[in-house]
Amino acid sequence: MTTLPSMLPRFGVAVLGGLVVAALATAPADAQRRPSTLNFTCEQAKAFVKKRGSVTMYIGRGQAYDKFIFNKSQCQTGDNPYPKKVQTKDGGCILRICFSPSLGNSGG
């Protein structure tokens, strides 16, 4: 008869292995669900950000993305809204991101 303590190492490895496989399998699916500014017109992109308050979107054909915000309340304390030009279906569009003056860079 197998005792519980002797089963734990095998069970723990199986569970851990299953969790790693599940995490790897869902990562690409999550990335594919992230919206892209290229799939919206400028007005659609602005409305999408306004509806969500803040949303992370791909900003090009590569893997680049940014967090866009509707207003300052989505920024961290000390950060400010900053305009960022992105490509949309109908050309260039200005959306807002958070800017950290103390760091001298943008990003969410």
Side-chain angles (χ1 to χ4, degrees), residues 20-62:
V20 169
V21 169
L24 292 174
T26 59
D30 289 342
Q32 290 172 354
R33 285 194 295 259
R34 183 171 285 155
S36 171
T37 60
L38 298 173
N39 295 332
F40 293 95
T41 65
C42 184
E43 290 306 312
Q44 289 171 334
K46 288 179 179 183
F48 188 70
V49 173
K50 181 178 181 179
K51 180 179 179 182
R52 301 241 175 151
S54 70
V55 62
T56 300
M57 299 174 72
Y58 284 114
I59 56 174
R61 299 201 192 297

Side-chain angles (χ1 to χ4, degrees), residues 23-98:
L24 292 174
T26 59
D30 289 342
Q32 290 172 354
R33 285 194 295 259
R34 183 171 285 155
S36 171
T37 60
L38 298 173
N39 295 332
F40 293 95
T41 65
C42 184
E43 290 306 312
Q44 289 171 334
K46 288 179 179 183
F48 188 70
V49 173
K50 181 178 181 179
K51 180 179 179 182
R52 301 241 175 151
S54 70
V55 62
T56 300
M57 299 174 72
Y58 284 114
I59 56 174
R61 299 201 192 297
Q63 297 297 315
Y65 59 89
D66 218 331
K67 177 183 174 187
F68 297 97
I69 58 151
F70 178 65
N71 63 37
K72 185 176 174 133
S73 69
Q74 282 87 30
C75 292
Q76 294 182 2
T77 303
D79 289 358
N80 296 305
Y82 187 79
K84 179 169 186 165
K85 186 174 183 179
V86 297
Q87 190 66 33
T88 56
K89 281 185 357 182
D90 57 350
C93 186
I94 303 295
L95 298 176
R96 286 179 276 194
I97 60 173
C98 294

